[in-house]
Amino acid sequence: PERRRGQTPPTRRIMREGHFPNRICTHLHHLLIALLTSLCLIEGGCHRYGEGRVESRLELIDSLTATRPDSALLGLESMRDEPMSRRERIFFELLHGKATVLARLPYTADSVMRQVVDYYDRHGDIARQAEARYLLACAFFDSNQPSRAMRQLKHLSLISDTNTSPSHLTLMRDAHTMLARLYEGHSAWNEAWGEDSLAEQLALSCHDTLHAIGCRKNMCQILFHRQLYEQCISASWRIFEECHAQGCPDHGLEFLVLIIESFLNSHRHREAAECLRHYENFLSLHPEARSPRAEAALSVCQARILHETGAADSAAVILAEAGVLGRSIYEAATYRTTLPEE
């Protein structure tokens, strides 16, 4: 994720991507779920014999949310019907929203999260206030209420300037990334660029190279949207080479696609064809980078070159072979060429 114009997307989830979650259920994962569920059930029976039992279990679940959000959700669901104090129930809902977002599931419980925000505004520390505000923004975003999401994110930046903990820097990285996509949805390119730049700096401070690459990709796409093709080509080449140097060349593929599309939109078909050959050679040298999306993007670029150089029938054949994914990428590429300059 990514946040796309005119859609209600999971960009927040893709671009955060640190963003590339491993969903394979290993034996360790199953063991972790079993232990967590057992703990919740055992301590649930002891709840009336001592205060703080529920909160201690919630804190244990909180420690899992960043790395095992699915397990955290399972543990929370096992506790949902237990009696809780007001403070415990609010913490429960905060964790449920947090785990849902980190599991890259749609989160639309804005009415619940408003109660959480109100509570922590009165009783919570800065860290929980910030978390609640961010999760409320996520709920608004996924409910297709962009203006409300933007308000929460702007408020978040006002209340949390002094917090420099790693977890808070990660949260602010994601907040600026989401805010950039919201600005982009309003064609506010300068503001989107500024937010992506802030998100990139925060990602680097968190040692999150992949998220930083994602921010740079968004900034190159902004150049593309504004039809600043020369700048887009130059920046994309540089980042593609950086990806290769940092040992993650597969993440540079989308920059090659941006370069090819920039050449095509500039009616520089020969250079587009040369770059396309580079793309094909790259896939042959790095088979691990092959994916349905990478193959579809290759087919779409081939189809565009053929179509725009007078071989429409051949282009139609290639596009048909690319299937639904290829056609959707082609439609997106065609749409981008119609965007007006700012």
Side-chain angles (χ1 to χ4, degrees):
E2 40 189 53
R3 303 262 183 196
R4 299 181 179 85
R5 294 186 75 236
Q7 297 182 4
T8 307
T11 346
R12 167 169 47 75
R13 295 179 277 281
I14 120 293
M15 276 282 322
R16 210 163 26 206
E17 266 169 25
H19 325 154
F20 303 101
N22 180 359
R23 295 237 181 226
I24 300 174
C25 290
T26 61
H27 293 299
L28 179 60
H29 189 187
H30 287 302
L31 178 61
L32 185 60
I33 291 174
L35 289 173
L36 178 60
T37 304
S38 299
L39 180 63
C40 289
L41 292 174
I42 292 170
E43 290 203 12
C46 303
H47 176 68
R48 62 181 180 276
Y49 297 109
E51 295 183 359
R53 295 280 188 176
V54 170
E55 189 156 4
S56 66
R57 288 153 60 201
L58 290 174
E59 288 171 354
L60 172 62
I61 290 172
D62 189 19
S63 69
L64 298 176
T65 53
T67 56
R68 295 290 183 185
D70 292 343
S71 303
L73 282 172
L74 182 65
L76 289 167
E77 288 304 321
S78 74
M79 297 176 62
R80 180 173 289 282
D81 297 329
E82 292 185 24
M84 299 184 194
S85 67
R86 173 68 173 163
R87 183 177 69 177
E88 290 166 344
R89 180 60 64 182
I90 289 294
F91 189 27
F92 173 94
E93 294 297 347
L94 179 77
L95 293 183
H96 191 270
K98 181 178 177 180
T100 301
V101 167
L102 290 175
R104 296 166 181 84
L105 298 172
Y107 181 68
T108 56
D110 57 278
S111 60
V112 172
M113 195 50 61
R114 283 184 204 184
Q115 296 177 43
V116 177
V117 167
D118 290 342
Y119 180 88
Y120 284 128
D121 279 350
R122 293 193 304 271
H123 306 292
D125 57 23
I126 292 295
R128 287 193 179 169
Q129 284 182 40
E131 273 192 315
R133 288 278 175 186
Y134 173 69
L135 292 170
L136 182 55
C138 292
F140 284 139
F141 193 102
D142 286 353
S143 301
N144 199 25
Q145 302 179 67
S147 59
R148 290 183 173 182
M150 189 175 289
R151 260 199 310 275
Q152 294 302 320
L153 293 170
K154 288 181 177 178
H155 189 83
L156 171 59
S157 65
L158 295 176
I159 66 173
S160 51
D161 284 343
T162 58
N163 192 333
T164 58
S165 68
S167 61
H168 185 73
L169 292 178
T170 299
L171 183 145
M172 293 307 298
R173 174 205 69 190
D174 296 337
H176 285 294
T177 298
M178 190 196 304
L179 194 52
R181 304 289 70 74
L182 288 166
Y183 278 127
E184 190 177 278
H186 289 87
S187 299
W189 306 118
N190 290 337
E191 290 82 357
W193 181 282
E195 295 298 329
D196 273 322
S197 180
L198 286 171
E200 180 194 4
Q201 294 172 31
L202 288 165
L204 292 173
S205 69
C206 297
H207 307 291
D208 189 343
T209 303
L210 294 184
H211 195 106
I213 290 172
C215 293
R216 292 170 190 164
K217 183 188 72 175
N218 289 332
M219 295 165 80
C220 288
Q221 288 175 331
I222 289 172
L223 294 172
F224 185 91
H225 287 317
R226 297 183 64 182
Q227 301 181 12
L228 301 173
Y229 298 128
E230 282 298 330
Q231 293 181 43
C232 181
I233 291 167
S234 176
S236 296
W237 268 123
R238 184 172 63 254
I239 299 166
F240 173 76
E241 290 171 352
E242 288 177 9
C243 289
H244 202 282
Q246 292 174 8
C248 49
D250 50 319
H251 296 303
L253 278 177
E254 291 194 59
F255 293 99
L256 282 182
V257 173
L258 273 175
I259 294 167
I260 295 169
E261 289 186 341
S262 295
F263 281 136
L264 287 170
N265 291 0
S266 304
H267 308 291
R268 297 159 65 180
H269 297 98
R270 182 181 59 78
E271 289 158 296
E274 289 176 0
C275 190
L276 181 61
R277 284 192 290 274
H278 190 73
Y279 190 102
E280 292 173 308
N281 291 337
F282 179 88
L283 286 180
S284 65
L285 291 171
H286 299 277
E288 72 281 2
R290 288 188 176 276
S291 68
R293 184 170 183 85
E295 298 286 354
L298 174 62
S299 297
V300 166
C301 291
Q302 291 172 331
R304 281 198 65 189
I305 291 173
L306 289 168
H307 187 273
E308 294 175 21
T309 54
D313 291 343
S314 299
V317 171
I318 290 176
L319 200 55
E321 291 174 350
V324 174
L325 178 58
R327 287 196 296 276
S328 67
I329 294 175
Y330 183 81
E331 288 165 4
T334 304
Y335 168 73
R336 287 198 293 268
T337 66
T338 67
L339 288 174
E341 292 191 48
E342 186 177 346

